[in-house]
Amino acid sequence: MNLPNRITLARIFMIPVMMVFLLVDFDMYPSPIQIGDYTLPYNQLIGAIIFIIAASTDGIDGYIARKHNLVTNLGKLLDPLADKLLITAVLVSLVEMGSIPSWIAVIIVSREFAVTGLRQIALLDGSVVAASAWGKIKTIVQIVAISLLLLNNFPFAFIGIPMDTILIWLATLITIYSGIDYFVKNKHLLTQTKA
């Protein structure tokens, strides 16, 4: 197994560890991190760090695979699977924690399934649906929004700007738009018939 695939597998293995830290109260220390009105439990901080590390490995494994000609079928399967598992797991955790409403998680996860389905149809047709600019923007905004939510809006909590809320709403809107964009640009895949 090559290095990019090992990095991708490491990202997958980080997911349950992240969820344990986010959803289980370990009472690791007598009290959470507290600065004025700002509070952050230690287990949530560790879960946030794991998420940020896992999310950052996404670009690393792809870069190494392309640069060193290590692209494999296993990597093509694992990389998008790892991305979707990570985002789905953290969104489910955020719903469980009461940080986001469930409908936001459903919209984001549904878009991922829909675009994955579109890509499968394209593969059957012998073509590839490449990542769009809006898809990449969506990923970045989602990761930043989720990171802020996991860190209880640090550092914006100190200046009273609900940046975590603003960005998760923005991420949801971009998610919807990018999903529609994929389908509009590839509608021919859905309407063509096989002879």
Side-chain angles (χ1 to χ4, degrees), residues 11-21 89:
R11 184 160 77 251
I12 291 171
F13 288 127
M14 282 189 247
I15 294 168
V17 177
M18 173 197 69
M19 290 187 77
V20 167
F21 277 104

Side-chain angles (χ1 to χ4, degrees), residues 35 48 55 59 69 73 84 104 111 115 132 151 177 180 188-189 194:
I35 305 167
N69 199 24
N73 286 334
K84 285 159 187 49
I104 286 179
R111 181 262 185 213
V115 172
S132 71
L151 294 170
Y177 180 80
I180 292 168
H188 64 280
L189 294 170
K194 291 281 184 183

